[in-house]
Amino acid sequence: MDKFIIKGSSVLSGSVRISGAKNAALPIMAACLLTDEESILHGIPPLSDCLAMKSILESFGAMVIWNPLKQSLIIRPQGIKTCEIPYELATAIRASFLVMGPVLARFGQATLDMPGGCNIGLRPIDLHLKGFAALGAKIDIEHGKTLASAKYLIGDKIYLDFPSVGATENIMMAATLADGLTTIENAATEPEIVDLANFLNTMGANVKGAGTNTIKITGVKHLHGANYTIIPDRIEAGTLMAATAARGGEIFLEDIAGDHLKPVIAKLREMGVDISESANGLRVKSPGFMYLDATEIKTMPHPGFPTDLQAPFTSALALVKGNSIVTETIFENRFMHVPELVKMGANIKIASRSALIEGVECLSGARVMATDLRAGAALVIAAACADGTSEIENIYHIDRGYYKLENKLLNLGVKIERVSIDASIEKVV
């Protein structure tokens, strides 16, 4: 168990290369199970969630060769021996359920325990199962396990009650090997959906319309291996943009597309942050929280403001003069960072699904705890802006989605250190 020790620091300055997107890497790793041929993936950050997906693929019998330095991996799925994931792996990450579509499509059956992940609210799998059933699969749920089986899948028209990213990805993968045309209506439109579709097409699939709310997949008989590089992580980029907005300074984010962050860029400009886009990335320049304007944020499915950046922006707004409102419409339990921010002196009240924020002149360093991935990132931002020293525990949550975040922040001027809790205890003794 490690923790971060952060001293309130000077303005941010420098350049940072954005890592590959975790939310693109996980479904693309799962999609490699759709073929028995080797695939090579690039830009896969060695995050704990990606390592968990690697273990899931290996539990099926696939061979996965990882090169963490080059952030690439080779997946050889020829030796699949089972269609069931061990309980401890299935419940480790939410994305474990993404293997169900590929395994069902290729082998005719898949068995999985309920997936795990951050406790940020209900994330039901009913839309995934609804899609599989529409393709002809029989669904049985017994003793906490979900079994999907079908002699063959047949394309159909599927309407999603909510534009779920995971359901869109799972159904899209399953439909690549189904007989005929599958149409997904009210599909999710996130950049990660487009990235998965591009990877599937590189494998020989016929997927059209990704990035719109109607995706059409014409099934093929066989998919082959592919060599592919995933997109940069827009959530990591947005987190660093929020940190720069609050603390002040000027940074350059390498290898990130402005098109992936349109609602974030628009909101930051509204607050008074200067952002310039180029072919190589984004330049972010902020006078700091004392000169920014309060605002209102409402999370929405893409292309709205991303729920994964709600917590980091809540931290930034905690210091902005005036009253801001942040409304969370995606997950009902995604304000768990607020009590920790209050410990640091923030003035935030929760009313139903909204956080009512009255900006304060300063935050104070404190001992706080990350309750989930994005909440942890929010606390890092608050600590970087606070007077004094903060300790952030349970940073394994942060490690699930940010690769070497402390190194990137250190290079930008944040006084941050990763410390082993055992080592710190020994020093006290």
Side-chain angles (χ1 to χ4, degrees), residues 91-306:
T91 56
I93 59 171
R94 174 69 185 177
S96 63
F97 207 77
L98 290 175
V99 302
M100 193 156 221
V103 173
L104 172 64
R106 183 176 163 197
F107 297 101
Q109 65 176 26
T111 304
L112 190 70
D113 289 278
M114 288 296 293
C118 286
N119 183 25
I120 56 176
L122 293 174
R123 292 187 282 181
I125 60 173
D126 58 322
L127 294 181
H128 302 244
L129 301 181
K130 174 183 175 181
F132 297 152
L135 295 176
K138 179 184 177 183
I139 307 297
D140 292 306
I141 301 177
E142 293 183 358
H143 308 297
K145 291 182 180 291
T146 300
L147 170 64
S149 59
K151 291 183 178 180
Y152 47 83
L153 299 177
I154 302 174
D156 200 351
K157 181 178 289 188
I158 301 167
Y159 180 86
L160 297 180
D161 298 327
F162 178 84
S164 162
V165 173
T168 300
E169 291 169 337
N170 231 342
I171 297 166
M172 186 164 59
M173 288 187 283
T176 59
L177 295 177
D179 184 19
L181 174 66
T182 298
T183 301
I184 307 175
E185 297 182 337
N186 197 29
T189 63
E190 275 76 359
E192 293 79 13
I193 298 289
V194 177
D195 208 35
L196 174 60
N198 289 340
F199 175 68
L200 293 171
N201 287 338
T202 303
M203 297 177 73
N206 186 346
V207 181
K208 297 179 180 178
T212 74
N213 58 15
T214 301
I215 301 176
K216 295 185 177 181
I217 309 104
T218 301
V220 298
K221 296 295 184 183
H222 173 76
L223 294 175
H224 53 73
N227 193 317
Y228 193 80
T229 301
I230 68 168
I231 58 173
D233 194 328
R234 62 192 173 101
I235 304 303
E236 178 186 284
T239 299
L240 295 175
M241 293 167 81
T244 306
R247 181 63 271 177
E250 182 176 348
I251 69 170
F252 184 75
L253 303 174
E254 302 175 24
D255 297 335
I256 187 67
D259 284 348
H260 291 176
L261 287 161
K262 283 184 178 180
V264 177
I265 292 172
K267 190 57 62 175
L268 285 171
R269 285 175 173 162
E270 181 182 306
M271 292 167 61
V273 179
D274 181 44
I275 299 174
S276 55
E277 303 178 43
S278 69
N280 299 323
L282 297 174
R283 186 169 300 279
V284 183
K285 186 177 181 180
S286 172
F289 63 83
M290 66 286 294
Y291 301 107
L292 298 181
D293 296 323
T295 190
E296 294 186 15
I297 291 175
K298 184 177 183 179
T299 64
M300 296 290 287
H302 190 79
F305 194 92

Side-chain angles (χ1 to χ4, degrees), residues 47 67 71 75 89 114 150 171 175 215 249 252 268 272 293 307 420:
L47 301 165
N67 187 329
Q71 296 193 25
I75 299 177
L89 294 178
M114 288 296 293
I171 297 166
I215 301 176
F252 184 75
L268 285 171
D293 296 323
T307 179
S420 167

